[in-house]
Amino acid sequence: VEGGLKIGMKLVISFFIGGSAVIVRGVVRNVVPAQSPWPERYGLEFVGLHFHSKREIRNFVASATMLDE
């Protein structure tokens, strides 16, 4: 999106996790301005996420957190 995303914008988000494609609606809830070397980043709220996808995301975050320790 030209000019970046804005808080409150509604999106359709698609990504792969756990070998499955997830397509879900979302709302931009936070915008973190770009700071070299990192680009602008966003916090999204998923709307209507299925239970299976929630579990896959939870597992992904838990395993990534364990790798950071």
Side-chain angles (χ1 to χ4, degrees):
V1 174
E2 191 173 322
L5 303 177
K6 306 292 182 221
I7 292 175
M9 286 180 87
K10 295 178 182 178
L11 311 165
V12 175
I13 305 152
S14 60
F15 56 95
F16 285 93
I17 191 163
S20 301
V22 176
I23 301 171
V24 65
R25 289 173 295 161
V27 179
V28 178
R29 294 296 182 201
N30 189 34
V31 177
V32 178
Q35 266 188 322
S36 186
W38 298 284
E40 192 167 66
R41 293 168 286 158
Y42 307 98
L44 305 174
E45 175 187 357
F46 298 138
V47 179
L49 193 62
H50 291 104
F51 176 78
H52 176 74
S53 298
K54 284 182 187 179
R55 185 170 47 200
E56 290 289 344
I57 293 168
R58 221 176 276 129
N59 291 341
F60 175 81
V61 170
S63 67
T65 302
M66 289 173 52
L67 293 175
D68 287 343
E69 293 178 351

